[in-house]
Amino acid sequence: MLQIKDLVAGYEMRKKWVAAVDHVSLNVKKDDFLGLAGESGCGKSTLAFSIMGLLKKPGKIKSGSILFKGKDLTKMNNEELRNTRWKDISMVFQSAMNSLNPVMRIGDQIVDSILAHKMVKKEKAYERAKELLKLVNISPDRVNSYPHQLSGGMKQRVMIAMALSLKPSLIIMDEPTTALDVVVQRMIIEEIGEIREKLGFSILFITHDLSLLVEISKKIAIMYAGEIVEIANSQELYSNPLHPYTYGLMSSFPTLVGPLKRSDGIPGRPPDLSQPIEGCRFYDRCSKRMDICRKRHPNLIDMGNNHMVACWLYSGDKNE
Amino acid sequence: MKNSYIAPFFGNKKGMSGLLIITLFVVVAVIAPYISPFNPNEMVDIPLQAPSFAHWLGTNHLGQDLLSRVIWGTRTSLMVGIVTGLLSTIFSMIIGLSAGYFGGVIDEILTTITNIFLVIPGLPLMIVIAAYLKFRGVTPIIIVIAITGWPSGARLLRSQMLSLRNREFVTAARILGEKSTHMIFSEIFPLMLSLVVANFFSAAIYAILGEAALEFLGLGDVNIVTWGTILYWAQNNQALLTGAWWWILAPGLCISVLGAGFALLNFSMDEISNPKLRGR
Amino acid sequence: MNDFLKLEGVSMHFPIRKFGKRTRYVHAMDDVSFSLKKGEILSLVGESGSGKTTTARVIAKVYTPTSGNVFVNGNLVSKKMHTSKLKEYRQRVQMIFQDPFSSLNPTKRVRSILSRPFVLYKSMSNSKEIRQAERDVLEVVGLTPTDFYLDKFPHELSGGQRQRVGIARAISVEPDLILADEPTSMLDVSIRLSIMNTLLKLKEERNISYLYITHDLAGARYVSDRIIVMYAGMIMEIGPAEELIQHPLHPYTQLLKRAAPSPETGFNKKKLGYVGEVPSLISPPKACRFSPRCPFAMEKCSKEIPPLYEIGDRKVRCFLYEKSNQENVRFDES
Amino acid sequence: MRYILRKTGFFFLTLWAAVTLNFIIPRLMPGNPAENLVARFQGQISDKALRAIEIAFGLNVHESMINQYFEYLGNTLRGNFGTSLVYFPTPVIKIIDQSLPWTLGLFGLSTIIGFVIGTLLGIYVAWRRESNVSSVTLVSALFVRSFPYFWFGLILLYIFGFMLGWFPLGGAYSTKTSLNGLSYVISVIHHGFLPALTIIISSLGGWLLTMRNNMISVLVEDYITVAEAKGLKERDIMLKYAARNAILPSITGFAMSLGFIVGGAILTEIVYSYPGMGYILYQSVIGQDYPLMQAIFLMISLSVLLANLVADILYGFIDPRVRE
């Protein structure tokens, strides 16, 4: 359904090019729940914004394509893009607190997304807005509330309702629960799962919280410094992480059960993306680095079982 | 740090043109005796002459050379602008910073006073105060403008103080055991500097326009040479009805351009300290 | 072992000003009592609005509590302290902040930020001496080469590096107690553990005690000896870390545990369902604050505030554990 | 409701402050210049009227300050401002009654027009901030804002009144012929056009800059990105999402700017000899007519404060957050 091919996107700073997303290819199929995990600054939000066509100056898509149902989103003009947005692909943003217009009733904000795309009567749109609120466990008479009258969790539910308003086939969720407390986060994640079962749509779920992702998503892509370094099914990735970065991330969150292991996370910090890097981008922080890693860039290779990894440890042609 | 504050300023076209304008006026004010072609208070030619080679800006009803008067007027106008701007900024700082820093009852009282002065119209108040003053001159004008010019600055500084005071690095300094004076002057103040300077620029604009207005109304000392008094004499001698447009054009332009110079500086300070505002 | 820090019935109510009159209060912290031993790491776990940060700030003397007493080393910490006494107190109790971006002054280099503790507490004025002391402390928190970091401004450092500068600043004072207010929550996952490990190392090497504030139950398990669970301004449960997490007594602790992400259990985990939201802290009713959301709520729960019942080395604020109810206790083994 | 009550409370507090300032200022001045006022009135007006003047300016009164103050407050409340000197023997209140409507009409209308145009331009400049038109507009606004009102008025008067003769040189309506109905209205508009234009253009720059800065701060907010992602039309995003939030600080800033513009309007009236409050204020200053001057200051303050109250209440309607 969504095919990202060799996408290069980033930011044009005073003569410098910061490659936030570098040659990324990714597919989201129908009914997929794809998780995209990575640390801050790894380019995951840039990727999401590129898909939505929301990348603003100095941000820029340099090359590659984003095909949605066969049409290239990067080549659309403004009007076509406007029509595709929200109707086919919608998005739930990170900061629920600031995602709603503070001076408009939430009902009006849901309704205007419907009216921007469909020729329906206003009353009908309001009926729909009420239905949507009910769907996300908010009392329908809240249509007349203003954002400041809602709690953080309710605001994010409103955003989800809004994202559902036109029955899109793909919803991008960019850290939808990061700003929320654990209990609220859990409730919302469960609700998302239930609604997805009911309505059937694909999700691209972006987060830095790998422990959460392993639990909820079908498939996970790990992003590091602008590149995808590993893709696999969640269970497979959890039990058998191949890339040293994935492995490091997996042992970076303390657990609630089992013996207490002391671990040191991943030392160092991600590389400066405004400088060209020849070899592997994880080289500086890698505990298993080899000589070749510094010189040559590893590409994603298929390890079977739908498991792809970009690391010289698993490449046969090491000595080439 | 010094560099990271000042460097963007040199790259800012608006800021640089503002600086250029102000510098130009300052230079003119300093070297007024050397570049002024005539004594500004002497009758040097036939009254009400249009601009010519001999008198670039023409002459007034007493046959005084207007170019010389404008040049000498720069001194007083600029001085009043800067001194008054400084005075109001100091008032604003004392009131705004103490309200923001101490909070509580002190804040409530100071804020209420500020709000009251904020909505009471400034120029009419200036006129009323100036009208009561028995002696006319530059000092009363400075005082009157400074009295009415501080509230908007105080309000801005207070709100910035409030937000900075609650920043974690200030709490950190407090927990580390720093004294209040250290926290205000070493931790908080460096971050307020740009706003204080911006505040000075707007206060200076206010002062320059206020001074011109009061003098135009004859509420200053009409016998000294300033841009405002040139306009006063022009108006009182019906300059326009006699077609002597040159009499009003130059001093007014000078006020506007000087004001714009400060406005440009102010605008660029805003852009630098708040990168969001940078248009391009 | 001696209690180094002790809180007795401490409450913090913030007034809401309307027309200058104080009519309503936010009960950010109500009747909080606990103690902390020398060299112990005690975690304060709770969601936002639970009062955990307020507790830390009351201990740090940023806020003056509405009522109750704080004791440090057996001495009462009075509300108004003489300057020299306060300085002595500050030297014992330091703090690490949640947001490494805002807890360092953006206009100052690391070198000048770190010089303050030495000027204030070691009476150093010789710049060479200070520089050497700064190098030593940077070494301890793992920022090497030290001279490289001394010349940096905060905005030139990563979040983790900034947090290390914050830790360096706190330990330069050589405190006995560090209040760590969610020190890892704004950092990248991959470096959280190494910050926690640094804190653990300092505890072992310097016998520093910590009050470690977090919303992450698993993180609390990783670092702490004992855990306090707070909800809506009150302590709900206190107990040794491992025991409390494996066998949570209070229904709220049970909820917290079930809500935490756990890839080990994965999809087969029991669903939470809709469990309501945190109540308003403005003039709350006299009742168990968790009762509106509690699956085990009894009539009594909405009428009075349960006391902290002692069960072995644990304490729990729930009527389920009143003597007469003890037989009916249901443990949630999720 | 509570919000409106609070704002009304502040209105009365400020009004009280203005009235009290009026009482204090002459008493603070070294060598009260109002002294010879009484001498000039002596024997010309009734004793009661004379006493009102003495109370207002603190002359020859042997009562305690507090008693004076309350008597003054009473006089003010009853509109008893005394008699004008310049327009002797007309009572001050009558002069105000005649000049206030002119000021309110001219000034009120042109301030609103200036606000609307300036704000719209500010929205445009921020929305198209990459374009050259925006840059030029912005810099021109910086200059226009620094024009002294009276000077700009003089220039307009010279060009359109004196040189081209399109507009009259002063007054509010033609006094030459007897006017009725429509011709009166046309005459009023004809006379008011240049002063109005002066105020509109001079005030517009400030509104433009305020709105532009607010817009740019708002445009980086997340809800703008969300609106874009929702595929709303550009115009809807600009007006319903960006401008509606950006205008809030402008309305609060109204207080600050209004006082400034009122000052400008006074000078404009003087330049155009427009028989409003500003012109009368000027006459009273020249003629040392302190009773008239004080009353006018009070009236101007009252109008500004009322305008502020209206702006505050309006704000409550636009921003739901302050209502409760």
PDB file of all heavy atoms in Angstrom, chain D residues 5-27:
ATOM      1  N   LEU D   5     -16.552  40.708  35.497  1.00  0.00           N
ATOM      2  CA  LEU D   5     -16.581  41.443  36.766  1.00  0.00           C
ATOM      3  C   LEU D   5     -15.186  41.964  37.113  1.00  0.00           C
ATOM      4  O   LEU D   5     -15.016  43.111  37.520  1.00  0.00           O
ATOM      5  CB  LEU D   5     -17.043  40.504  37.882  1.00  0.00           C
ATOM      6  CG  LEU D   5     -18.541  40.548  38.189  1.00  0.00           C
ATOM      7  CD1 LEU D   5     -18.904  39.461  39.179  1.00  0.00           C
ATOM      8  CD2 LEU D   5     -18.908  41.919  38.748  1.00  0.00           C
ATOM      9  N   ARG D   6     -14.204  41.092  36.924  1.00  0.00           N
ATOM     10  CA  ARG D   6     -12.849  41.484  37.279  1.00  0.00           C
ATOM     11  C   ARG D   6     -12.392  42.652  36.412  1.00  0.00           C
ATOM     12  O   ARG D   6     -11.795  43.611  36.877  1.00  0.00           O
ATOM     13  CB  ARG D   6     -11.910  40.288  37.107  1.00  0.00           C
ATOM     14  CG  ARG D   6     -10.604  40.461  37.843  1.00  0.00           C
ATOM     15  CD  ARG D   6      -9.782  39.200  37.875  1.00  0.00           C
ATOM     16  NE  ARG D   6      -9.287  38.834  36.574  1.00  0.00           N
ATOM     17  CZ  ARG D   6      -9.402  37.605  36.061  1.00  0.00           C
ATOM     18  NH1 ARG D   6      -9.995  36.675  36.737  1.00  0.00           N
ATOM     19  NH2 ARG D   6      -8.924  37.332  34.874  1.00  0.00           N
ATOM     20  N   LYS D   7     -12.711  42.547  35.125  1.00  0.00           N
ATOM     21  CA  LYS D   7     -12.295  43.607  34.208  1.00  0.00           C
ATOM     22  C   LYS D   7     -13.016  44.916  34.522  1.00  0.00           C
ATOM     23  O   LYS D   7     -12.432  45.986  34.442  1.00  0.00           O
ATOM     24  CB  LYS D   7     -12.574  43.179  32.754  1.00  0.00           C
ATOM     25  CG  LYS D   7     -11.642  42.089  32.274  1.00  0.00           C
ATOM     26  CD  LYS D   7     -10.204  42.582  32.284  1.00  0.00           C
ATOM     27  CE  LYS D   7      -9.228  41.447  32.104  1.00  0.00           C
ATOM     28  NZ  LYS D   7      -7.851  41.867  32.313  1.00  0.00           N
ATOM     29  N   THR D   8     -14.293  44.801  34.893  1.00  0.00           N
ATOM     30  CA  THR D   8     -15.036  46.008  35.246  1.00  0.00           C
ATOM     31  C   THR D   8     -14.445  46.623  36.509  1.00  0.00           C
ATOM     32  O   THR D   8     -14.308  47.842  36.616  1.00  0.00           O
ATOM     33  CB  THR D   8     -16.523  45.666  35.466  1.00  0.00           C
ATOM     34  OG1 THR D   8     -16.946  44.801  34.413  1.00  0.00           O
ATOM     35  CG2 THR D   8     -17.377  46.909  35.474  1.00  0.00           C
ATOM     36  N   GLY D   9     -14.079  45.770  37.431  1.00  0.00           N
ATOM     37  CA  GLY D   9     -13.432  46.249  38.654  1.00  0.00           C
ATOM     38  C   GLY D   9     -12.175  47.024  38.332  1.00  0.00           C
ATOM     39  O   GLY D   9     -11.949  48.116  38.856  1.00  0.00           O
ATOM     40  N   PHE D  10     -11.387  46.483  37.424  1.00  0.00           N
ATOM     41  CA  PHE D  10     -10.149  47.158  37.047  1.00  0.00           C
ATOM     42  C   PHE D  10     -10.443  48.491  36.369  1.00  0.00           C
ATOM     43  O   PHE D  10      -9.753  49.482  36.594  1.00  0.00           O
ATOM     44  CB  PHE D  10      -9.315  46.273  36.119  1.00  0.00           C
ATOM     45  CG  PHE D  10      -8.028  46.913  35.704  1.00  0.00           C
ATOM     46  CD1 PHE D  10      -6.998  47.083  36.613  1.00  0.00           C
ATOM     47  CD2 PHE D  10      -7.859  47.377  34.415  1.00  0.00           C
ATOM     48  CE1 PHE D  10      -5.819  47.699  36.242  1.00  0.00           C
ATOM     49  CE2 PHE D  10      -6.677  47.999  34.032  1.00  0.00           C
ATOM     50  CZ  PHE D  10      -5.658  48.153  34.949  1.00  0.00           C
ATOM     51  N   PHE D  11     -11.517  48.522  35.576  1.00  0.00           N
ATOM     52  CA  PHE D  11     -11.909  49.757  34.911  1.00  0.00           C
ATOM     53  C   PHE D  11     -12.166  50.861  35.938  1.00  0.00           C
ATOM     54  O   PHE D  11     -11.660  51.974  35.821  1.00  0.00           O
ATOM     55  CB  PHE D  11     -13.160  49.500  34.059  1.00  0.00           C
ATOM     56  CG  PHE D  11     -13.885  50.738  33.628  1.00  0.00           C
ATOM     57  CD1 PHE D  11     -13.389  51.530  32.604  1.00  0.00           C
ATOM     58  CD2 PHE D  11     -15.070  51.106  34.250  1.00  0.00           C
ATOM     59  CE1 PHE D  11     -14.056  52.670  32.223  1.00  0.00           C
ATOM     60  CE2 PHE D  11     -15.739  52.250  33.869  1.00  0.00           C
ATOM     61  CZ  PHE D  11     -15.243  53.036  32.854  1.00  0.00           C
ATOM     62  N   PHE D  12     -12.929  50.511  36.983  1.00  0.00           N
ATOM     63  CA  PHE D  12     -13.236  51.532  37.982  1.00  0.00           C
ATOM     64  C   PHE D  12     -11.995  51.934  38.776  1.00  0.00           C
ATOM     65  O   PHE D  12     -11.806  53.103  39.100  1.00  0.00           O
ATOM     66  CB  PHE D  12     -14.349  51.043  38.919  1.00  0.00           C
ATOM     67  CG  PHE D  12     -15.700  51.152  38.295  1.00  0.00           C
ATOM     68  CD1 PHE D  12     -16.433  50.029  37.952  1.00  0.00           C
ATOM     69  CD2 PHE D  12     -16.226  52.414  37.991  1.00  0.00           C
ATOM     70  CE1 PHE D  12     -17.669  50.142  37.340  1.00  0.00           C
ATOM     71  CE2 PHE D  12     -17.462  52.536  37.383  1.00  0.00           C
ATOM     72  CZ  PHE D  12     -18.194  51.395  37.049  1.00  0.00           C
ATOM     73  N   LEU D  13     -11.142  50.972  39.024  1.00  0.00           N
ATOM     74  CA  LEU D  13      -9.899  51.277  39.738  1.00  0.00           C
ATOM     75  C   LEU D  13      -9.056  52.272  38.942  1.00  0.00           C
ATOM     76  O   LEU D  13      -8.532  53.247  39.479  1.00  0.00           O
ATOM     77  CB  LEU D  13      -9.116  49.979  39.960  1.00  0.00           C
ATOM     78  CG  LEU D  13      -7.802  50.126  40.721  1.00  0.00           C
ATOM     79  CD1 LEU D  13      -8.074  50.490  42.169  1.00  0.00           C
ATOM     80  CD2 LEU D  13      -6.985  48.846  40.652  1.00  0.00           C
ATOM     81  N   THR D  14      -8.941  52.020  37.649  1.00  0.00           N
ATOM     82  CA  THR D  14      -8.138  52.897  36.804  1.00  0.00           C
ATOM     83  C   THR D  14      -8.765  54.273  36.692  1.00  0.00           C
ATOM     84  O   THR D  14      -8.085  55.294  36.723  1.00  0.00           O
ATOM     85  CB  THR D  14      -7.998  52.295  35.397  1.00  0.00           C
ATOM     86  OG1 THR D  14      -7.932  50.902  35.505  1.00  0.00           O
ATOM     87  CG2 THR D  14      -6.777  52.820  34.721  1.00  0.00           C
ATOM     88  N   LEU D  15     -10.077  54.272  36.573  1.00  0.00           N
ATOM     89  CA  LEU D  15     -10.779  55.546  36.477  1.00  0.00           C
ATOM     90  C   LEU D  15     -10.530  56.357  37.740  1.00  0.00           C
ATOM     91  O   LEU D  15     -10.228  57.550  37.689  1.00  0.00           O
ATOM     92  CB  LEU D  15     -12.279  55.283  36.302  1.00  0.00           C
ATOM     93  CG  LEU D  15     -13.103  56.512  35.944  1.00  0.00           C
ATOM     94  CD1 LEU D  15     -12.634  57.090  34.628  1.00  0.00           C
ATOM     95  CD2 LEU D  15     -14.576  56.158  35.874  1.00  0.00           C
ATOM     96  N   TRP D  16     -10.624  55.677  38.867  1.00  0.00           N
ATOM     97  CA  TRP D  16     -10.369  56.343  40.143  1.00  0.00           C
ATOM     98  C   TRP D  16      -8.942  56.906  40.153  1.00  0.00           C
ATOM     99  O   TRP D  16      -8.703  58.030  40.583  1.00  0.00           O
ATOM    100  CB  TRP D  16     -10.570  55.355  41.287  1.00  0.00           C
ATOM    101  CG  TRP D  16     -10.052  55.856  42.595  1.00  0.00           C
ATOM    102  CD1 TRP D  16     -10.660  56.752  43.421  1.00  0.00           C
ATOM    103  CD2 TRP D  16      -8.792  55.518  43.181  1.00  0.00           C
ATOM    104  NE1 TRP D  16      -9.851  56.992  44.496  1.00  0.00           N
ATOM    105  CE2 TRP D  16      -8.702  56.257  44.383  1.00  0.00           C
ATOM    106  CE3 TRP D  16      -7.742  54.674  42.829  1.00  0.00           C
ATOM    107  CZ2 TRP D  16      -7.597  56.169  45.218  1.00  0.00           C
ATOM    108  CZ3 TRP D  16      -6.645  54.585  43.652  1.00  0.00           C
ATOM    109  CH2 TRP D  16      -6.573  55.325  44.839  1.00  0.00           C
ATOM    110  N   ALA D  17      -7.988  56.110  39.618  1.00  0.00           N
ATOM    111  CA  ALA D  17      -6.600  56.562  39.585  1.00  0.00           C
ATOM    112  C   ALA D  17      -6.471  57.824  38.735  1.00  0.00           C
ATOM    113  O   ALA D  17      -5.774  58.772  39.101  1.00  0.00           O
ATOM    114  CB  ALA D  17      -5.701  55.460  39.044  1.00  0.00           C
ATOM    115  N   ALA D  18      -7.168  57.858  37.588  1.00  0.00           N
ATOM    116  CA  ALA D  18      -7.079  59.023  36.708  1.00  0.00           C
ATOM    117  C   ALA D  18      -7.656  60.254  37.402  1.00  0.00           C
ATOM    118  O   ALA D  18      -7.072  61.344  37.372  1.00  0.00           O
ATOM    119  CB  ALA D  18      -7.820  58.750  35.407  1.00  0.00           C
ATOM    120  N   VAL D  19      -8.807  60.071  38.062  1.00  0.00           N
ATOM    121  CA  VAL D  19      -9.445  61.182  38.775  1.00  0.00           C
ATOM    122  C   VAL D  19      -8.519  61.701  39.872  1.00  0.00           C
ATOM    123  O   VAL D  19      -8.327  62.905  40.048  1.00  0.00           O
ATOM    124  CB  VAL D  19     -10.797  60.726  39.370  1.00  0.00           C
ATOM    125  CG1 VAL D  19     -11.363  61.799  40.295  1.00  0.00           C
ATOM    126  CG2 VAL D  19     -11.785  60.405  38.267  1.00  0.00           C
ATOM    127  N   THR D  20      -7.902  60.755  40.567  1.00  0.00           N
ATOM    128  CA  THR D  20      -7.023  61.139  41.672  1.00  0.00           C
ATOM    129  C   THR D  20      -5.758  61.833  41.169  1.00  0.00           C
ATOM    130  O   THR D  20      -5.292  62.801  41.764  1.00  0.00           O
ATOM    131  CB  THR D  20      -6.657  59.888  42.489  1.00  0.00           C
ATOM    132  OG1 THR D  20      -7.859  59.218  42.831  1.00  0.00           O
ATOM    133  CG2 THR D  20      -5.904  60.245  43.744  1.00  0.00           C
ATOM    134  N   LEU D  21      -5.233  61.354  40.064  1.00  0.00           N
ATOM    135  CA  LEU D  21      -4.072  62.012  39.454  1.00  0.00           C
ATOM    136  C   LEU D  21      -4.392  63.468  39.193  1.00  0.00           C
ATOM    137  O   LEU D  21      -3.598  64.371  39.468  1.00  0.00           O
ATOM    138  CB  LEU D  21      -3.724  61.344  38.119  1.00  0.00           C
ATOM    139  CG  LEU D  21      -2.678  60.250  38.118  1.00  0.00           C
ATOM    140  CD1 LEU D  21      -2.492  59.710  36.702  1.00  0.00           C
ATOM    141  CD2 LEU D  21      -1.347  60.798  38.630  1.00  0.00           C
ATOM    142  N   ASN D  22      -5.586  63.672  38.665  1.00  0.00           N
ATOM    143  CA  ASN D  22      -6.050  65.018  38.368  1.00  0.00           C
ATOM    144  C   ASN D  22      -6.068  65.899  39.617  1.00  0.00           C
ATOM    145  O   ASN D  22      -5.838  67.095  39.556  1.00  0.00           O
ATOM    146  CB  ASN D  22      -7.472  64.917  37.821  1.00  0.00           C
ATOM    147  CG  ASN D  22      -7.574  65.582  36.479  1.00  0.00           C
ATOM    148  OD1 ASN D  22      -6.678  66.321  36.089  1.00  0.00           O
ATOM    149  ND2 ASN D  22      -8.649  65.330  35.781  1.00  0.00           N
ATOM    150  N   PHE D  23      -6.369  65.278  40.742  1.00  0.00           N
ATOM    151  CA  PHE D  23      -6.437  66.001  42.009  1.00  0.00           C
ATOM    152  C   PHE D  23      -5.025  66.282  42.530  1.00  0.00           C
ATOM    153  O   PHE D  23      -4.733  67.353  43.046  1.00  0.00           O
ATOM    154  CB  PHE D  23      -7.214  65.142  43.002  1.00  0.00           C
ATOM    155  CG  PHE D  23      -7.320  65.740  44.380  1.00  0.00           C
ATOM    156  CD1 PHE D  23      -8.217  66.773  44.634  1.00  0.00           C
ATOM    157  CD2 PHE D  23      -6.543  65.256  45.422  1.00  0.00           C
ATOM    158  CE1 PHE D  23      -8.317  67.317  45.901  1.00  0.00           C
ATOM    159  CE2 PHE D  23      -6.651  65.805  46.691  1.00  0.00           C
ATOM    160  CZ  PHE D  23      -7.538  66.840  46.932  1.00  0.00           C
ATOM    161  N   ILE D  24      -4.142  65.301  42.335  1.00  0.00           N
ATOM    162  CA  ILE D  24      -2.810  65.402  42.923  1.00  0.00           C
ATOM    163  C   ILE D  24      -1.882  66.329  42.132  1.00  0.00           C
ATOM    164  O   ILE D  24      -1.157  67.136  42.715  1.00  0.00           O
ATOM    165  CB  ILE D  24      -2.164  64.001  43.037  1.00  0.00           C
ATOM    166  CG1 ILE D  24      -2.940  63.149  44.043  1.00  0.00           C
ATOM    167  CG2 ILE D  24      -0.711  64.096  43.471  1.00  0.00           C
ATOM    168  CD1 ILE D  24      -2.467  61.718  44.100  1.00  0.00           C
ATOM    169  N   ILE D  25      -1.930  66.199  40.800  1.00  0.00           N
ATOM    170  CA  ILE D  25      -0.931  66.906  39.987  1.00  0.00           C
ATOM    171  C   ILE D  25      -0.817  68.401  40.313  1.00  0.00           C
ATOM    172  O   ILE D  25       0.277  68.877  40.621  1.00  0.00           O
ATOM    173  CB  ILE D  25      -1.179  66.685  38.481  1.00  0.00           C
ATOM    174  CG1 ILE D  25      -0.878  65.217  38.133  1.00  0.00           C
ATOM    175  CG2 ILE D  25      -0.287  67.594  37.635  1.00  0.00           C
ATOM    176  CD1 ILE D  25      -1.276  64.832  36.731  1.00  0.00           C
ATOM    177  N   PRO D  26      -1.929  69.174  40.305  1.00  0.00           N
ATOM    178  CA  PRO D  26      -1.738  70.604  40.609  1.00  0.00           C
ATOM    179  C   PRO D  26      -1.181  70.841  42.006  1.00  0.00           C
ATOM    180  O   PRO D  26      -0.450  71.805  42.239  1.00  0.00           O
ATOM    181  CB  PRO D  26      -3.145  71.185  40.467  1.00  0.00           C
ATOM    182  CG  PRO D  26      -4.071  70.036  40.445  1.00  0.00           C
ATOM    183  CD  PRO D  26      -3.301  68.854  39.970  1.00  0.00           C
ATOM    184  N   ARG D  27      -1.502  69.935  42.936  1.00  0.00           N
ATOM    185  CA  ARG D  27      -1.009  70.111  44.313  1.00  0.00           C
ATOM    186  C   ARG D  27       0.473  69.795  44.447  1.00  0.00           C
ATOM    187  O   ARG D  27       1.126  70.218  45.380  1.00  0.00           O
ATOM    188  CB  ARG D  27      -1.839  69.231  45.254  1.00  0.00           C
ATOM    189  CG  ARG D  27      -3.208  69.808  45.517  1.00  0.00           C
ATOM    190  CD  ARG D  27      -4.105  68.841  46.258  1.00  0.00           C
ATOM    191  NE  ARG D  27      -5.332  69.495  46.660  1.00  0.00           N
ATOM    192  CZ  ARG D  27      -6.328  69.799  45.856  1.00  0.00           C
ATOM    193  NH1 ARG D  27      -6.248  69.505  44.572  1.00  0.00           N
ATOM    194  NH2 ARG D  27      -7.417  70.408  46.306  1.00  0.00           N
TER     195      ARG D  27
END
